[in-house]
Amino acid sequence: MISEMHKVTSDFLQLLISGGETIDVEFKGQEHAALSDHQLIGALVCMANRLSSKSGWLLIGVEDDGRITGTRPRHNNITDINKLSALIASRTRPSISPNISVCQIDNKDIIAIEIDPQEQIISTSDGVFTRRIIGGDGKPSCIPM
């Protein structure tokens, strides 16, 4: 749930983006190709299984280098937050219900998905278990559990 300190505004998102990718922040750009449902669910499961007491953030429309390129609409010419929530709930086990917002930065839409710390391990509905770690190179990555 979005706390009073974490209201999703363009200023808040710019603050997250300026810090780069971390254990709690993942960027998914769509400059070259749309993010598939499979890729989205994989990224969410990975973030849900990180070791952190903070909310995690998946920002769609931000490239790995922090450039804001904007997201592609997920449902025809819009992103329907209710449909996106239903997709996530139906493809995670146990189901997770993250907070989803669409915000604009520099006239480009960013989908911000907040993932609360989880009390149990989450998988995809296909039984894939991954977790987010800081790798040997100092960069965040997803590894199998």
Side-chain angles (χ1 to χ4, degrees):
M1 176 166 270
I2 298 172
S3 69
E4 290 302 311
M5 292 177 25
H6 292 267
K7 289 194 185 268
V8 179
T9 63
S10 60
D11 288 341
F12 176 72
L13 290 181
Q14 286 178 320
L15 182 65
L16 286 178
I17 294 165
S18 69
E21 289 188 305
T22 67
I23 197 81
D24 297 314
V25 178
E26 167 74 6
F27 302 153
K28 287 293 181 189
Q30 297 189 86
E31 184 174 41
H32 301 292
L35 185 67
S36 71
D37 291 348
H38 179 76
Q39 292 168 317
L40 170 67
I41 299 303
L44 284 167
V45 164
C46 181
M47 287 296 289
N49 291 326
R50 73 197 185 292
L51 293 175
S52 178
S53 59
K54 297 182 194 174
S55 288
W57 292 89
L58 179 62
L59 304 180
I60 304 170
V62 180
E63 304 301 314
D64 286 343
D65 62 7
R67 285 181 301 117
I68 299 166
T69 54
T71 187
R72 297 171 188 222
R74 296 197 64 85
H75 310 100
N76 295 322
N77 60 351
I78 64 163
T79 295
D80 184 323
I81 292 173
N82 293 324
K83 287 182 180 180
L84 192 52
S85 293
L87 169 76
I88 294 166
S90 71
R91 298 217 183 151
T92 53
R93 299 293 179 267
S95 294
I96 58 174
S97 299
N99 294 303
I100 304 170
S101 301
V102 178
C103 291
Q104 279 200 341
I105 299 176
D106 299 331
N107 294 320
K108 296 175 184 163
D109 285 341
I110 305 296
I111 300 173
I113 304 176
E114 181 184 19
I115 305 110
D116 290 332
Q118 301 295 307
E119 295 182 14
Q120 54 193 332
I121 295 173
I122 306 296
S123 75
T124 67
S125 58
D126 297 331
V128 176
F129 293 84
T130 57
R131 66 186 171 108
R132 188 164 176 88
I133 63 160
I134 299 297
D137 60 359
K139 297 179 182 176
S141 64
C142 287
I143 63 168
M145 292 181 85

